[in-house]
Amino acid sequence: MPDPRDASPYDALLLLSFGGPEGPDDVIPFLENVTRGRGIPRERLKEVGEHYFGFGGVSPINAQNRALLDALRKDFADHGLDLPVYWGNRNWAPYLTDTLREMVADGRRRILVLATSAYASYSGCRQYRENLADALAALEAEGLELPRIDKLRHYFNHPGFLEPMIDGVVESLADLPEEVRSGAHIAFSTHSIPLSAADTSGPVESHGDGGAYVTQHLDVARTIADAVRERTGEDHPWQLVYQSRSGAPHIPWLEPDICDHLEERHAAGVPAVVIAPIGFVSDHMEVLYDLDTEARAKAEELGLPMRRSATVGDAPRFAAAVRDLVLERAAVERGEEVRPCALGALGPSHQLCPVGCCPARTPRPAAAGADSPYA
């Protein structure tokens, strides 16, 4: 077993996330960052910005990342793991390049990265690796000594990620009126992505028919549903559904949409629904708006009792899972034998993204993988 206090050769952990606006004046500049290079008109950005303006122009994601940082630092300190934790974002302050520059100035040379996305996909994995390559290129242009960066493996099936969600579904079922509880349907929700991106997600051998993205989510949904049945004695029907579609209407994306699914389930006579947002680490804007606002309004329109279960957020078990992943990867780097933790049928994910994993439409350098230009 890895030494519970030895993270060598790593000297820092970087929490890498999406970022979000923290006030009304931030909303449009933030959305311009998110959509840069796509040619989306400013008027369309203003329409999307209404989602944020409805919450005071503040996305909850930054506050949730701060809470996760606190949870990680506390867990590490409580277990004698001396590993500083930094935070950088793709689309808003603190920006990734600025954080890496700070880490280099602090003398960090072997950095592990935790991305706030648990599954394989271009936007959830490779794009973050591209962001890392862009940041390293900027530091290189400044003449700075470049650190070596590795990314923690996908943690969609780690017990510390799954078990808080299992608890959340059980608690949500228990909160339903007793007369509809036993017949409740579970809708496991995640972010919709284009079919072309889904089909090429994960390693090359996983490509096709939804790729690793759909396969991993289905395994998580099945694992949670099985655990719920064991705890409650009830076998609840379930389905994987999607939300937050944002692309052109002529491009096929993963379906069914959560609101369409609620209508279909209501028409089929389902007495209640629990929505479990398994594709999200925390309750950020797409959870608050697409589920707690739009999907809830649809359920109320239909007269369909609905509960939304919690994401893992800063749960102590998730912080402990990150510590486990850090120690696991450190032991691998030291050449030690490890037994990675994983629930479900798929087993632990790869430690290093292989060549051809979650390819971009236009090839770009990506760090922290087998094809990284930064060894």
Side-chain angles (χ1 to χ4, degrees), residues 81-285:
L81 180 60
D82 184 17
L83 190 72
V85 186
Y86 295 75
W87 168 36
N89 289 325
R90 171 186 292 167
N91 296 304
W92 203 249
Y95 288 103
L96 170 60
T97 301
D98 295 335
T99 300
L100 278 183
R101 189 180 292 112
E102 175 190 357
M103 297 177 80
V104 169
D106 289 347
R108 312 304 175 193
R109 295 295 179 267
R110 290 294 304 271
I111 298 170
L112 265 176
V113 173
L114 166 68
T116 54
S117 176
Y119 301 84
S121 71
Y122 171 73
S123 59
C125 183
R126 183 172 179 96
Q127 191 173 6
Y128 281 120
R129 294 177 48 227
E130 292 176 353
N131 299 147
L132 288 166
D134 291 343
L136 289 171
L139 268 56
E140 186 174 38
E142 296 170 13
L144 299 177
E145 182 179 352
L146 298 187
R148 176 173 166 179
I149 296 178
D150 293 319
K151 181 177 174 290
L152 292 174
R153 66 176 171 91
H154 301 304
Y155 48 85
F156 64 92
N157 57 2
H158 193 287
F161 184 68
L162 283 176
E163 288 168 355
M165 292 194 292
I166 294 168
D167 289 348
V169 173
V170 170
E171 291 165 6
S172 293
L173 287 166
D175 191 49
L176 285 168
E178 186 175 358
E179 62 271 19
V180 299
R181 189 180 304 149
S182 64
H185 171 84
I186 305 173
F188 293 105
S189 187
T190 190
H191 205 300
S192 183
I193 61 175
L195 290 183
S196 58
D199 289 346
T200 56
S201 58
V204 172
E205 60 269 21
S206 300
H207 291 180
D209 197 24
Y213 186 76
V214 171
T215 298
Q216 290 170 1
H217 279 89
L218 285 172
D219 191 58
V220 165
R222 189 176 297 108
T223 301
I224 294 175
D226 289 346
V228 169
R229 182 180 64 250
E230 291 176 4
R231 293 194 191 182
T232 66
E234 299 280 356
D235 191 6
H236 292 275
W238 61 270
Q239 186 169 337
L240 179 63
V241 301
Y242 302 92
Q243 62 178 87
S244 312
R245 173 180 175 145
S246 59
H250 68 281
I251 297 175
W253 283 51
L254 290 169
E255 296 178 337
D257 173 78
I258 177 60
C259 289
D260 294 340
H261 181 67
L262 292 177
E263 289 186 340
E264 188 272 334
R265 289 293 81 203
H266 177 258
V270 165
V273 172
V274 167
I275 301 177
I278 60 172
F280 305 91
V281 172
S282 63
D283 290 4
H284 56 64
M285 185 57 68

Side-chain angles (χ1 to χ4, degrees), residues 332-345:
V332 168
E333 288 298 301
R334 295 193 301 266
E336 299 172 10
E337 185 176 349
V338 297
R339 297 179 63 185
C341 291
L343 299 178

Side-chain angles (χ1 to χ4, degrees), residues 273-303:
V273 172
V274 167
I275 301 177
I278 60 172
F280 305 91
V281 172
S282 63
D283 290 4
H284 56 64
M285 185 57 68
E286 286 170 322
V287 174
L288 293 186
Y289 186 81
D290 296 335
L291 297 184
D292 292 354
T293 303
E294 285 195 328
R296 188 171 301 280
K298 174 59 68 175
E300 290 174 355
E301 173 192 322
L302 296 169

